Every structure is written in structure tokens, then in C-alpha cells.
Amino acid sequence: MPALKVNNLFRYFGALKAVNGVTFEIPHGSVCGFVGANGAGKTTTMRILATLDYPTLGSAEVCGINVVHRPAEVRKMIGWMPDHFGNYEHMTVLEYLDFYARALGYKGQERRQRIQEVMDFTDLVPLADRFSNKLSKGMTQRLGLGRALLGDPQILIMDEPAAGLDPKARVELKHLIRVLAQEGKTIFISSHILSELGEMCDSLLFINNGRIVHHGDAETLKRGSDSVGGVLYDVQVDGDPQSISDWCVLQPNVEFLESRKNGGRIRIDTQDPTKAADVLARMVKDGLRITEYHREERNLEDAFIDILGRIESGQEAILPPPLPQPAEI
Amino acid sequence: MSLIHLSDFSDRISPMLVKELRQGMRAKTFIVVFLSLQVFLAVMLFSAGAASTSDQVGSVISSIIFTFFSIAVLIIQPLRGTNALSSEVKGNTIDMMVLTRLSAWRIVYGKWVAIVSQSALLLTTIIPYLILRYFFGGMNLVTEMTALFLIFITSMGVTAVTVGLSGCSSVIIRLLLPVFGLLMLAYMLLVASFGRIGRSGGIMDFLTLDSTESRIGVAVYIATVVYLGYTMLSLGASLIAPAAENHAFPRRLVSVLLVLFILGLSVYDIPATWVLMTCVSIVVIPSIVVALTDSAMLVPTVCKPFVKRGIIGRTLGWFFYPTWNSGVIYSVMISLLGLATIFSAELLSHTGHMTYGYSDDLVVLFSLLGSLFFPAVWHAFLFRGENQRLAHYLLLQVASFVMLGVLSILADSMNNGGFLWIFAWHPLAYIAMLTEHSTSRETILSGVIVVDIAMFLILLIRGGMETKRSASIIQETRDNLEING
């Protein structure tokens, strides 16, 4: 049974189709990144999984429990960290965590112990007496994570937790997420910073216009091996860099992408390294003085843009295939 | 700060109350009000003590104590509730609370209790001044204690109104309505406290509690404040609740039971007819207003308790689901129940026959009843979606009464109310028609009844158009129950 299962999920706000037939599964103990542009449907999907919103059609399950039919049970299993949340005036960090610990039903010594554990984990102890609305963004995010962890949830749903953080705070947050993943928690995290997601996540879900357009692990996505987009190579020559682009025009399955200082970036439409070696051999044979020839890893931003570009040009079907749509509400 | 600090409040106290008290006691508003009250009262008492030659000094001190206390607990403290819920919604903290074990009701109730607790603290601080005032003489202990108690009860009610309305996203409703309401209350307070406290006659005579009428009056007032306070807090809970919580059910059930209770009293001919009408109005009017503005989305969790009780449960569900169309059905039902209560009192009275006839009272009764439904009819056609239903309703209602005022003035000044028939589509126009004498009372009464019935029907048909989705959710719940046994 997957930790999170979303099946043909639709959410309409009047005429706006925020989520438009989303289907995916996330196994227990994995870290899954949720990627998409603003308004793509990430937050709505996450809110439905967190029992804070309701689908127009379709179902969402947390550990096999339907979020619409049994929300109270689902809430005990999840920790929710929204993209932004206000903190209270006149309330210290310690009192803030104490309020939520009480609200979650912790009592007496157990409550104090749980707060201590969470504060130790998120390094909030030095901030215990600070008013919660006077914290920096990074501290606030740590406090938010601490609050989400108070109930010791199996699954953490985090909506843009790194947004607005400085590099140091990002590193700290990434470290905390890694530790949580090592403890076996399932983490479903959305972010705009794709490179960071790539380092943290076992898999990535790309959503566009309310639909999942890709679900795969970051490595294969970066290497391009799971796509039809080909493999990128950086080629440097001794001599006129223009010679590479001129050469590429005459070659089948080789595309010149961009010029660089002493050469350029090319794409070879093959996954087979021996075919790439053939291309290199042809270059040498044709008189190009190659000084460097190496396979480039695409970064996740490139991969995401590639996927969107292919969808727009109709080269790749949107996955999962479109299903019957609900009547307008 | 060590974790031992976290034991300052017992685990038995609601988490919401703990939070609100920790925050509230540090809030500048409370500290300023608390200290100002002490300074004013101390200065006033010492000044009065120094110049205690007049026989009236005791009553003057009473007036001042009551005035300052009233301003603090009837105006300033309730105003602190105007952002109670909206601040949680704006700050995106309400979602995080919903994910704990706190229900929307506990959130709203906690916020209300926290403000009321601080008002109670203010109450305790003026007691020493009242004891000192006792030595100046001329004090009617029971009357002044009753007045103090009623002021505090009223403060609880007004705070419930501001906290309840604070769940509304419209700033106009959340702030202007309570502010204008409180200004009116302030005016009444000043008149009552400076004009009556410590002197004979009027309200203070009523508060001596030495007659049955006085005791019943005070009891009915307390019951009214409790009912209205509960209704407003429940409204606040509805406004912030996730769709899985049904706050309409207990609220509507309480109203139905109260009307049935009043009906029971009428059968035994206990209260006078005007008392009965007042009681029915107090129960029915807020109940209808809230039901016609209920705007929750129906979800299987809400349907389940009704659906699993078979056909009776499913039928009752249509009256008690927290949706607008269910609110319409419920409102028509409780209106008919209220009318039945009022008319049965007449029918069952010792005279054994109807005494109303075609009186002005009946026109007013049906006009006011129709006016409750009028904004809902307009809303159904003017606005799409569920957002701001309460705000739209209240604003349309205010506009209706402004129109009534204008029409009445015009009818008076023109000395000819014939033009009022142009506004015959509005139930309140019939009240204005009472001032002109060319049309018979029977015609006016028939007209307003026709308009009322037309509005009932329009709303029922409009509500019926929205039942398709509700029916599919109910069917989904039934299917799910069958699958899970």
C-alpha cells in the first residue's frame, strides 16, 4: 500500500481547473519532489492530501485511508507545512509549540518531552524565549517544521518550505529533511528550487496546468535517459568555434544547441555511448581539432523546460492519459 | 525559559484558552483598559470621598463606576473580538489548527472565553470600589448587583457577536456592523447609567427583582443573550470550519426545540401573546438569517450520520445539512412552525377563537417574515458562488430597511401612499402601506402573504436546482457505507 495515492483527481474553482486529472503514487519512506510553475496545481493537490480541501472528483488516500471519507484518521498521520503561515503576536516559540502540542492532545510530562525533542531536532532551543512573530524567515521555517513534527507524523507534506530562505537556511532545512528521510518518514515536498529537490528526492513529479507531466527519479531525468530528448555533449575545439555548428548542420541526429567560448553544446539523439563515440570519430575524421568532448548532465530546470516544450509541441503525451471529465459545478 | 514554564496552565484547560490568555494578557489593549479603569476609579472615589457633602454622592459614584465599567466591558473588550477569527484565517494559521484535535467550535469558543475571562478580571477589580461606595450610603445592593451582573452578561453576548462575525471575510460586516451596534449600545448605556443608576424608576426599579414580572424579565433577558451568543459563536464556527464539520445541525436543532418549547407554553396559555411573539421572534429571526447564509460544501463525512439512519435520517438531513439549499428548506419549516406557535396561542387561548383578525400586527408580522427571505432571493440571482453570502445578505437587509424608511417618509410627506404599490414586490413596503388609508387592511395583508409565499417558492425552486450535487454526495455516502458494511 503506497503512503500517498492520488487517483484521477480533479478540483475546480468555478471555471478554473486547478487540478485536472492527477494520478500518482508515492511509496512509504520515500522523498518525492513536486514541481510546477505557479498556479500549476501543486498547492491544491497538497491541500487535498492534507484534508484541507476537497476534490471535485477523484480520490486521494493516505496510507490507504480516503481523505474525504475519514479525514480525522488521515490528520493523525500527516504533518503539514504550508508555504507561508503567520505567527502569533505576544507568543514565544516555546508557547507556540506548547499550544500545538496541547491541541494535538499531549498532556503533562509527555507534552514537555515531545516539545523538547522537537526543539532539539530543529535547533529551536536557543530561540525558546523569542516571540514567534519576530523570527527570521529561516527560523520561522524551522518553527513550522517543528510544529509539523509535533504529532510525530508518518508523512510530511511540505509546500515550498525553502521559498525565501537564504542559502544557509536552505542548507539547514535540506539537512533536516535528509535526517527525516533517514528516519523513514515519507516526505512530499514542493519547491521552485529544482536543483535542491534533485539532491533530496527519490522521485520527482512534474505538474503543469493541473496535470502530471512526468514522474521519475532525478538522476535519469538529468541524464535524459528516460526521455526522447537525446544526450547533451560539450565540445571544445582548437580553432574556429563556428566550425562545430557548420559541421553539425550536415550530420544526421546531431543538433547544435548553443555556442560557447571555444566550441559549443550539441545534442546527439541517442542513448548509446558507442554512437556518441562514432560522432566523435567522425568529427576527428572531418578535421575538427577536438580538445574536449564530454557528456553533460542536464540540470533539472533544463529537464523541466524540455518536458514542457515537448508537451507544447505535441511530442509527448501527457501522463496519465486524459480521463472523462466531471460535469461543471 | 525552561519547559517547567509550560505548566503554568493545567492540561484540563482548553488549548485555545491557554493560547488566547497568554497572548491576551500581554496585549496592549487589555493592559491599557485595565490600568485606566483603576486610575479613573481611584481618582474618582478619592475625589468623591473628599467632597462627600451631598446626599447624592453615592449614586453619582455608582453612575461613574457603572459607566466606566460598561465602556470597558461592553465596548472595548468586545471590539477586541472583531479580528479574532479573521486574523487566524489571514495568517494561514486556521489550517494548522484544523489539523489538530481542535474543532472549529473549540477554536471560536476558546477565543470568546479568553475575552470574557479578561472582562471578568475587570469585573473583579471594580468590586473593591463598589464596597467602598457602599459606605457613602443610598445603595440598593440587589439592584446594583443585578445591574452589574446584567452588564457582564450583555458583555458576554456582545463579545459573542463580534467573535462570531469576525469569521466573516468582509471588513464591512466584521468591523462596521459591530462598531455601529456598539455605538448605539454606548448611547443607550450612557442614558441608562447616568439617567437611572442609583435613582428610582425605570430600569433600576425593574432590577430590584421583587416582582414576578421583574424576575421573569431578567430570566428571559439572560436566556436571550445566551441563545443569541450561542448562535453567533456557532455562526463563527461555521464560517471557519472545514467542510467535514456540521455546525448547522446543533444550531438549527436548538432553535427548533426552543420553538417547540414555546409552543408547549402557548398550549398551556402561560405567556401573553405579545410575549410569545417576542420569544418566537428572538429564536426564529437569527436562526433563519444564519440558515439562509449557510454556505458549506456538502461532503460524505457530514452526510454519514444522517444516511446511516435510513430514510428518516436522510429526510432529516435535508433540514440539517450545512448547505444553503438545506438552509432554505429549514427556514421555511421553522417559519411555519413559528407562525403555528403564534396562531395556536390565539386559537388555544381561553377565548377559544382568533382575536387577530386583519390587524396591523399581522401585516407587520408577515412583512418582517418576508423581509428575512428577501435578501436571500436577491442573492440567489445576483451573486454566483458561496463566498461572502453572509455579507451580501446583511448588506441587502440593511438596504431593505433603509428603503422602508425612505418609503415611509415619502408616504407621510406626500399624504398619498398609492405609489407604494410600485414596491409591492418588497415585503417591507407593506409596512409603509399601513400609514395610508385608501387601501383596505385585507388587501394589504393578502398582498404581503402572496409576496411571502412567492419568495418561499422561488427559494425552494432555486434551492432545488442545487440539490443535484447534494444528491450525488448522499449517494456516494450510501455506496461507501454499503461497501464498508
Side-chain angles (χ1 to χ4, degrees):
Chain A
M1 181 193 301
L4 297 174
K5 183 178 177 185
V6 170
N7 186 29
N8 198 25
L9 195 76
F10 290 85
R11 180 66 169 107
Y12 292 173
F13 297 103
L16 176 71
K17 297 172 180 178
V19 178
N20 199 16
V22 164
T23 299
F24 63 85
E25 289 184 8
I26 297 170
H28 278 282
S30 68
V31 182
C32 178
F34 201 23
V35 183
N38 287 333
K42 299 189 300 291
T43 300
T44 307
T45 307
M46 288 182 138
R47 283 179 58 82
I48 291 172
L49 281 166
T51 75
L52 295 168
D53 200 354
Y54 290 84
T56 305
L57 196 76
S59 68
E61 291 176 6
V62 173
C63 299
I65 299 172
N66 189 300
V67 297
V68 172
H69 293 125
R70 291 151 69 191
E73 289 169 59
V74 170
R75 285 171 191 163
K76 288 177 189 164
M77 289 186 281
I78 59 161
W80 164 247
M81 193 171 160
D83 54 348
H84 69 278
F85 55 95
N87 284 325
Y88 299 115
E89 275 190 330
H90 312 305
M91 185 179 255
T92 64
V93 165
L94 189 59
E95 289 169 344
Y96 180 91
L97 291 173
D98 180 57
F99 163 59
Y100 281 102
R102 284 171 187 262
L104 286 165
Y106 287 107
K107 292 189 190 302
Q109 184 55 33
E110 188 194 11
R111 172 167 51 85
R112 287 189 285 275
Q113 189 180 333
R114 186 63 197 148
I115 292 170
Q116 187 68 62
E117 286 168 4
V118 164
M119 287 178 73
D120 288 341
F121 178 74
T122 50
D123 198 21
L124 285 169
V125 175
L127 307 174
D129 291 339
R130 294 269 291 271
F131 281 119
S132 62
N133 61 334
K134 305 283 184 196
L135 301 176
S136 69
K137 178 77 179 171
M139 292 170 184
T140 303
Q141 291 301 79
R142 272 193 280 147
L143 180 59
L145 179 61
R147 183 198 48 71
L149 291 173
L150 274 173
D152 195 18
Q154 296 174 42
I155 296 159
L156 262 178
I157 302 173
M158 307 168 86
D159 189 11
E160 302 278 358
L165 294 187
D166 59 45
K168 182 171 174 279
R170 274 189 209 157
V171 170
E172 286 170 358
L173 184 72
K174 208 159 58 177
H175 169 72
L176 292 177
I177 290 170
R178 278 203 196 111
V179 174
L180 288 168
Q182 283 164 6
E183 287 177 3
K185 295 201 186 296
T186 307
I187 300 171
F188 188 39
I189 179 171
S190 76
S191 177
H192 285 300
I193 304 159
L194 301 185
S195 53
E196 289 191 356
L197 280 184
E199 292 171 32
M200 280 189 288
C201 299
D202 302 318
S203 66
L204 291 170
L205 268 170
F206 284 11
I207 186 170
N208 185 50
N209 289 332
R211 287 186 169 188
I212 298 296
V213 293
H214 180 88
H215 191 177
D217 69 81
E219 275 309 302
T220 52
L221 191 68
K222 280 197 279 189
R223 292 174 65 87
S225 59
D226 63 341
S227 69
V228 294
V231 182
L232 305 179
Y233 283 83
D234 182 36
V235 185
Q236 309 277 311
V237 290
D238 179 18
D240 182 10
Q242 180 67 30
S243 59
I244 297 176
S245 70
D246 295 342
W247 182 83
C248 287
V249 172
L250 303 169
Q251 302 301 316
N253 303 325
V254 180
E255 183 187 0
F256 185 81
L257 293 177
E258 61 177 332
S259 293
R260 286 180 174 172
K261 192 178 174 187
N262 293 316
R265 197 175 179 212
I266 65 170
R267 174 159 52 208
I268 303 174
D269 282 346
T270 179
Q271 303 295 328
D272 186 351
T274 58
K275 298 273 173 61
D278 291 344
V279 170
L280 175 61
R282 284 208 307 275
M283 282 181 180
V284 173
K285 190 181 170 190
D286 291 345
L288 293 172
R289 291 168 58 81
I290 306 298
T291 57
E292 195 166 330
Y293 180 83
H294 74 265
R295 180 173 171 152
E296 265 192 1
E297 282 197 348
R298 288 189 305 175
N299 60 31
L300 288 171
E301 279 84 357
D302 284 340
F304 184 50
I305 300 296
D306 271 1
I307 289 171
L308 292 186
R310 286 202 299 274
I311 289 162
E312 279 166 17
S313 61
Q315 290 176 14
E316 185 177 290
I318 292 173
L319 296 173
L323 291 161
Q325 299 196 357
E328 287 288 339
I329 56 163
Chain B
M1 183 185 292
S2 73
L3 289 171
I4 295 166
H5 164 76
L6 300 180
S7 303
D8 54 352
F9 287 93
S10 159
D11 286 328
R12 292 199 189 106
I13 302 174
S14 158
M16 203 64 209
L17 181 57
V18 173
K19 168 189 167 288
E20 290 297 318
L21 283 177
R22 278 177 176 159
Q23 283 185 277
M25 301 292 272
R26 289 179 186 138
K28 280 180 191 157
T29 322
F30 175 73
I31 295 167
V32 168
V33 169
F34 186 86
L35 294 178
S36 304
L37 193 65
Q38 300 303 312
V39 171
F40 274 123
L41 291 178
V43 169
M44 178 273 304
L45 207 70
F46 285 119
S47 309
S52 58
T53 51
S54 166
D55 294 340
Q56 291 291 318
V57 70
S59 63
V60 170
I61 289 174
S62 280
S63 296
I64 294 171
I65 290 175
F66 275 70
T67 303
F68 281 114
F69 176 65
S70 300
I71 289 170
V73 299
L74 290 178
I75 305 208
I76 299 170
Q77 283 291 95
L79 278 178
R80 294 179 59 203
T82 52
N83 274 329
L85 300 175
S86 62
S87 62
E88 300 282 359
V89 175
K90 266 193 213 159
N92 211 10
T93 47
I94 202 83
D95 284 346
M96 297 187 291
M97 284 193 214
V98 164
L99 293 177
T100 66
R101 294 185 189 176
L102 292 174
S103 63
W105 170 257
R106 286 182 71 192
I107 293 169
V108 176
Y109 182 71
K111 288 199 170 269
W112 174 74
V113 170
I115 297 175
V116 168
S117 306
Q118 289 161 46
S119 298
L121 193 59
L122 294 174
L123 174 68
T124 56
T125 60
I126 67 157
I127 288 174
Y129 300 98
L130 283 174
I131 293 169
L132 284 174
R133 174 255 174 274
Y134 185 75
F135 293 104
F136 289 103
M139 183 180 187
N140 185 332
L141 192 64
V142 173
T143 305
E144 294 199 15
M145 286 300 110
T146 309
L148 201 61
F149 175 68
L150 288 185
I151 288 171
F152 187 70
I153 288 282
T154 309
S155 168
M156 291 168 74
V158 177
T159 305
V161 172
T162 56
V163 170
L165 285 177
S166 73
C168 189
S169 53
S170 162
V171 180
I172 296 173
I173 300 304
R174 206 171 62 235
L175 294 176
L176 294 186
L177 210 68
V179 167
F180 281 114
L182 288 171
L183 283 175
M184 283 179 63
L185 192 67
Y187 172 75
M188 287 159 63
L189 273 172
L190 287 171
V191 170
S193 58
F194 278 112
R196 299 291 184 194
I197 303 280
R199 297 174 192 175
S200 61
I203 295 173
M204 296 315 284
D205 275 357
F206 195 74
L207 297 182
T208 53
L209 300 181
D210 56 3
S211 68
T212 307
E213 190 191 15
S214 158
R215 286 191 287 270
I216 289 174
V218 170
V220 168
Y221 180 77
I222 293 168
T224 302
V225 172
V226 169
Y227 171 73
L228 290 178
Y230 164 73
T231 303
M232 293 310 294
L233 291 179
S234 175
L235 169 67
S238 289
L239 291 171
I240 61 163
E245 292 180 19
N246 182 357
H247 296 277
F249 172 61
R251 184 175 60 233
R252 292 179 193 175
L253 187 65
V254 164
S255 301
V256 169
L257 292 176
L258 281 174
V259 174
L260 290 174
F261 175 71
I262 298 166
L263 179 64
L265 292 181
S266 72
V267 169
Y268 291 101
D269 199 19
I270 294 172
T273 306
W274 72 268
V275 176
L276 204 68
M277 276 184 74
T278 307
C279 291
V280 168
S281 303
I282 288 168
V283 175
V284 169
I285 290 173
S287 181
I288 289 177
V289 170
V290 176
L292 288 176
T293 54
D294 267 328
S295 54
M297 182 180 169
L298 192 63
V299 293
T301 327
V302 167
C303 298
K304 199 171 160 185
F306 296 100
V307 170
K308 72 181 181 187
R309 284 175 175 77
I311 187 138
I312 295 172
R314 288 201 299 276
T315 309
L316 282 175
W318 287 107
F319 292 93
F320 294 111
Y321 291 138
T323 56
W324 178 76
N325 48 354
S326 161
V328 168
I329 299 169
Y330 164 83
S331 298
V332 173
M333 181 268 288
I334 201 162
S335 301
L336 297 175
L337 199 59
L339 288 174
T341 305
I342 291 165
F343 288 119
S344 69
E346 283 295 296
L347 285 168
L348 298 168
S349 66
H350 60 277
T351 58
H353 61 273
M354 289 287 286
T355 54
Y356 270 127
Y358 292 110
S359 67
D360 289 359
D361 289 349
L362 276 180
V363 173
V364 173
L365 176 70
F366 282 105
S367 289
L368 291 178
L369 179 63
S371 73
L372 292 174
F373 289 84
F374 184 76
V377 172
W378 278 93
H379 186 280
F381 292 102
L382 285 180
F383 302 101
R384 283 201 70 187
E386 301 290 346
N387 291 339
Q388 310 250 14
R389 196 180 276 277
L390 176 67
H392 292 152
Y393 178 95
L394 292 177
L395 292 176
L396 284 166
Q397 193 65 275
V398 169
S400 284
F401 277 89
V402 169
M403 194 191 92
L404 170 67
V406 172
L407 289 180
S408 300
I409 292 166
L410 281 175
D412 274 350
S413 60
M414 291 165 71
N415 223 6
N416 176 12
F419 77 95
L420 288 172
W421 283 100
I422 299 168
F423 298 94
W425 44 271
H426 196 308
L428 288 179
Y430 293 89
I431 293 179
M433 285 180 199
L434 292 175
T435 56
E436 59 108 6
H437 303 287
S438 57
T439 312
S440 70
R441 290 295 182 265
E442 289 86 343
T443 310
I444 295 173
L445 183 60
S446 306
V448 71
I449 289 173
V450 167
V451 170
D452 280 7
I453 291 171
M455 283 194 302
F456 280 7
L457 290 175
I458 289 169
L459 283 177
L460 286 171
I461 292 166
R462 189 75 182 79
M465 288 160 69
E466 291 187 14
T467 55
K468 190 179 168 189
R469 183 175 150 76
S470 301
S472 70
I473 299 291
I474 292 165
Q475 188 57 47
E476 184 189 336
T477 313
R478 287 181 73 178
D479 296 343
N480 191 49
L481 280 172
E482 281 169 17
I483 291 166
N484 294 324

